[in-house]
């Protein structure tokens, strides 16, 4: 997904431009730190205190220049208007968050308002159109039949969460003034890998296959996750 995001940034902004980035629901700060290391000015917003502590610890180990380019705010992604002025960011990330939000439309509208004209909104969501794949590949036939007509699922943390359909999000992005410009599949071949699986020897080949499948039909349509990129008009 990082490669997909970089592709969109490079295709939209001049090389070397320092962008203003907001990472909503940043978790432990993996993407935020990566972009700060690349020279961008990054703000991470996260409501989970444990994740905030982990992100701050990771940031503290970075060189001073990177620490100065990144700030971390403890807060809810639905309250971006409390923390920031409209149009404050060139890029807004919201990765792995929507599945925990029962009504995502107000959150998405708030994120779009944070974007400057021409700004990039990057979403990573669970693919509701492929919910039957995981139980089907595991041989869970009752679960597979149920998943065909549902957007609800239980994740690997044991939490009951929700998935999104590409068609629904495409309409939503158009409605909030950040229409879809590109979309990719994520975890086409690797969704069934164990959480504790080690790094394979052929990691480079694996990533090349995932990247190719993530941009190629029909493979991307059955990916476990979807990476959607909208642009503020």
């Amino acid at each position: 997904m990082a490669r997909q995001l970089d592709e969109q940034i490079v295709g939209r902004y001049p090389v070397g431009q320092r962008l203003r980035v907001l990472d909503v629901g940043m978790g432990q700060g993996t993407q935020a730190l990566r972009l700060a290391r690349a020279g961008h000015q990054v703000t991470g917003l996260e409501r989970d205190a444990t994740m905030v502590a982990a992100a701050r610890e990771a940031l503290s180990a970075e060189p001073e220049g990177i620490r100065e380019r990144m700030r971390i705010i403890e807060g809810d992604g639905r309250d971006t208007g409390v923390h920031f002025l409209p149009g404050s960011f060139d890029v807004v990330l919201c990765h792995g968050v929507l599945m925990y939000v029962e009504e995502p439309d107000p959150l998405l509208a708030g994120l779009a308002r944070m974007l400057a004209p021409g700004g990039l909104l990057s979403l990573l969501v669970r693919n509701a159109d492929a919910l039957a794949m995981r139980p089907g590949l595991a041989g869970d036939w009752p679960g597979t039949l149920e998943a065909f007509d549902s957007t609800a699922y239980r994740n690997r943390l044991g939490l009951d969460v929700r998935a999104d359909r590409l068609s629904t999000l495409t309409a939503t992005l158009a409605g909030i003034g950040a229409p879809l410009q590109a979309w990719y599949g994520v975890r086409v071949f690797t969704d069934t890998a164990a959480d504790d699986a080690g790094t394979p020897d052929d990691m480079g080949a694996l990533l090349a296959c995932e990247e190719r499948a993530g941009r190629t039909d029909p493979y991307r349509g059955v990916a476990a996750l979807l990476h959607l990129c909208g642009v503020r008009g």
Side-chain angles (χ1 to χ4, degrees), residues 66-109:
I66 295 174
R67 295 199 305 271
E68 291 175 349
R69 286 197 296 271
M70 182 171 166
R71 61 173 173 158
I72 298 171
I73 298 174
E74 187 170 348
D76 195 299
R78 290 168 290 193
D79 297 328
T80 50
V82 174
H83 300 286
F84 317 110
L85 293 174
S88 295
F89 299 96
D90 304 301
V91 179
V92 173
L93 314 180
C94 186
H95 296 164
V97 174
L98 289 194
M99 56 274 291
Y100 299 104
V101 180
E102 187 173 346
E103 295 291 340
D105 286 7
L107 168 63
L108 291 172

Side-chain angles (χ1 to χ4, degrees), residues 1-10 30-35 37-38 40 91 93 95 120 122-124 184-187 207 210-211 215 227 229:
M1 188 196 67
R3 297 182 184 183
Q4 298 164 356
L5 178 61
D6 289 346
E7 177 183 275
Q8 292 298 314
I9 290 175
V10 169
T30 301
Q31 286 297 322
L33 274 171
R34 188 183 71 83
L35 291 169
R37 293 183 190 121
H40 302 300
V91 179
L93 314 180
H95 296 164
L120 177 68
S122 174
L123 306 175
L124 184 70
Y184 308 85
V186 177
R187 285 191 356 214
L207 290 175
E210 280 284 350
E211 185 176 12
R215 63 179 68 247
H227 180 199
C229 298

Side-chain angles (χ1 to χ4, degrees), residues 22-215:
L22 173 63
D23 189 353
V24 174
M26 69 169 182
Q28 59 189 7
T30 301
Q31 286 297 322
L33 274 171
R34 188 183 71 83
L35 291 169
R37 293 183 190 121
H40 302 300
Q41 195 74 34
V42 182
T43 300
L45 182 64
E46 173 59 56
R47 70 176 183 176
D48 186 283
T50 301
M51 290 294 184
V52 169
R56 286 179 173 154
E57 181 178 0
L59 181 60
S60 69
E62 296 289 329
E64 181 179 357
I66 295 174
R67 295 199 305 271
E68 291 175 349
R69 286 197 296 271
M70 182 171 166
R71 61 173 173 158
I72 298 171
I73 298 174
E74 187 170 348
D76 195 299
R78 290 168 290 193
D79 297 328
T80 50
V82 174
H83 300 286
F84 317 110
L85 293 174
S88 295
F89 299 96
D90 304 301
V91 179
V92 173
L93 314 180
C94 186
H95 296 164
V97 174
L98 289 194
M99 56 274 291
Y100 299 104
V101 180
E102 187 173 346
E103 295 291 340
D105 286 7
L107 168 63
L108 291 172
L111 299 184
R113 284 193 292 271
M114 294 300 103
L115 285 170
L120 177 68
L121 176 60
S122 174
L123 306 175
L124 184 70
V125 304
R126 187 73 162 90
N127 183 7
D129 293 322
L131 280 184
M133 291 295 292
R134 184 183 294 175
L137 291 173
D140 175 8
W141 307 124
T144 302
L145 288 171
E146 182 179 355
F148 279 119
D149 301 311
S150 178
T151 58
Y153 70 103
R154 178 162 293 180
N155 67 14
R156 288 174 172 172
L157 299 176
L159 300 176
D160 291 322
V161 288
R162 48 172 294 282
D164 289 283
R165 299 192 187 279
L166 176 62
S167 58
T168 302
L169 283 178
T170 299
T172 299
L173 290 173
I176 62 176
L180 184 68
Q181 297 294 305
W183 68 278
Y184 308 85
V186 177
R187 285 191 356 214
V188 177
F189 302 125
T190 56
D191 186 50
T192 57
D195 292 339
D196 58 354
T199 302
D201 294 335
D202 57 351
M203 187 65 175
L206 183 156
L207 290 175
C209 291
E210 280 284 350
E211 185 176 12
R212 177 72 177 273
R215 63 179 68 247

